[in-house]
Amino acid sequence: MCGIFGAVSLQGAPLKYSQCVAAMAAALAHRGPDGEQIVGHERARIGARRLAIMDLTTGDQPFRSPDGSVWMVCNGEIYNAPELRRECTQAGYPFRSTGDIETIVPLYERLGPDAVGRLDGMFGLALWDDRLRRLVLARDRAGEKPLFWSQIDGELRFASEIQALLVFPDQPRRVNPVAAELYAALGYVPAPHTLFAGISKLPPAHLLVADHAGVTLRRYCVRSSGSSCRTCRWACSRVAGSTRRCSRPRRPG
């Protein structure tokens, strides 16, 4: 479990509360006791709190492209990283780490936001493209890793947990009545809603792309029943197992 966070200006203006990004890190300290790092400038800052489990010596985030124009943070694990690493190494990418997460950066440089569709794993990720002034947020297909975001006065902010967004003084702290009704009916709040008005949860298997033209949200992948995705195979096996158990004949009384 790690914590990712950040704030970017979509209109090119300086961030209103750049000092709050460090406060975001503090709010997520429990998710990553092994390290903290923030990168950026006056218009965009992203960071990560790290729980070091894999790649203990070279896996510090954020990861950056060789020219420094792409910054990326990710909470999770990429199961098909060995395959992606071989592909990107053959294409000449100079990896600085031995872990799974860095493979996202060269994949994005080649495919743009559609690179997320190549990832098999559990993840909540954020990527800032400084040349295009574009932010990409994505969440794994099963929704194992959380990711929340809000948009206020031309800025988009994101974090692994809601309390990191509440460190900003202009973030509304009002109850979302729609979410409250859903909670009363279902016992939980489904994405994209949260109990806070103005804060959204990125739904599973969705991709958010934000730039000066606005914010778009779309489902990035629809898998077929013959999918080779490890996450999808696991989900399908669980559903199939539950169906078999429920369909077994039972003795009366």
Side-chain angles (χ1 to χ4, degrees), residues 39-112:
V39 300
H41 46 57
E42 65 176 4
R43 300 180 306 280
R45 292 173 67 79
I46 72 171
R49 292 285 318 198
R50 188 181 184 212
L51 176 63
I53 298 176
M54 301 174 62
D55 192 11
L56 302 183
T57 58
T58 63
D60 290 338
Q61 299 186 45
F63 285 107
R64 284 179 277 191
S65 60
D67 66 359
S69 64
V70 175
W71 323 332
M72 188 274 303
V73 288
C74 178
N75 168 35
E77 181 181 354
I78 307 303
Y79 303 142
N80 62 334
E83 169 195 335
L84 298 176
R85 177 179 284 270
R86 286 192 297 270
E87 182 181 314
C88 295
T89 298
Q90 290 172 0
Y93 189 81
F95 285 97
R96 74 159 174 85
S97 73
T98 59
D100 56 316
I101 299 300
E102 190 182 5
T103 55
I104 299 168
V105 176
L107 204 61
Y108 170 83
E109 288 192 302
R110 290 169 52 205
L111 303 176

Side-chain angles (χ1 to χ4, degrees), residues 109-131:
E109 288 192 302
R110 290 169 52 205
L111 303 176
D114 290 337
V116 175
R118 293 283 311 279
L119 303 179
D120 178 8
M122 54 176 182
F123 56 84
L125 69 84
L127 185 148
W128 173 251
D129 187 327
D130 204 40
R131 286 172 300 190

